[in-house]
Amino acid sequence: MKIICPITYAKNRVAERGYDNFRMVYRDLQLRPRQTKIIKAYNELWFILEIDRRIRVSSDYGIYDDTDKQLSEQIHEHADRIEILNRANSIQRITCLQIIMALKQ
């Protein structure tokens, strides 16, 4: 996500989903060779900022996998149940902006 400001985009997406309060967390994940990580991200949005090759991210929002030539679009925004798969035989990294949404009390 390099063309638009992820923070500005996140603020708009939070409002679109009907929330008025959120917290941002910068996440830098390191995945072992062939590791799969499942993230339960309900009431959250995850935005991919940087990603190594051979990592596949999938959720109800779509798929990001820059090695899959069948995909017509790479999805940078994910939520709900997110699966991150390192298909490489080496350690790979992914950095994301995690948005945790809440209603004001």
Side-chain angles (χ1 to χ4, degrees):
M1 184 169 277
K2 297 176 184 175
I3 297 172
I4 61 173
C5 175
I7 295 170
T8 301
Y9 182 75
K11 288 178 183 178
N12 291 336
R13 290 293 290 135
V14 167
E16 287 173 6
R17 291 189 64 170
Y19 291 89
D20 51 13
N21 194 19
F22 65 95
R23 183 169 66 96
M24 291 184 286
V25 181
Y26 180 80
R27 304 290 302 262
D28 187 352
L29 305 175
Q30 178 174 287
L31 284 83
R32 295 183 313 271
R34 303 289 177 186
Q35 179 184 2
T36 299
K37 184 170 187 66
I38 305 294
I39 299 169
K40 295 178 182 175
Y42 302 97
N43 290 338
E44 297 179 8
L45 294 170
W46 285 59
F47 298 99
I48 298 171
L49 301 176
E50 293 184 37
I51 188 168
D52 287 340
R53 290 188 62 83
R54 309 275 312 182
I55 289 185
R56 179 182 181 90
V57 180
S58 59
S59 71
D60 291 338
Y61 283 44
I63 298 170
Y64 183 100
D65 185 345
D66 68 351
T67 63
D68 187 342
K69 302 306 177 203
Q70 301 291 328
L71 292 176
S72 61
E73 180 180 10
Q74 300 292 336
I75 303 300
H76 289 254
E77 177 182 348
H78 296 275
D80 302 331
R81 183 184 181 277
I82 303 170
E83 182 176 308
I84 304 173
L85 169 63
N86 177 5
R87 296 185 302 161
N89 289 322
S90 60
I91 292 173
Q92 300 292 305
R93 298 178 83 96
I94 177 173
T95 57
C96 298
L97 183 62
Q98 176 189 19
I99 307 298
I100 304 165
M101 298 177 286
L103 297 171
K104 286 187 180 175
Q105 296 182 8

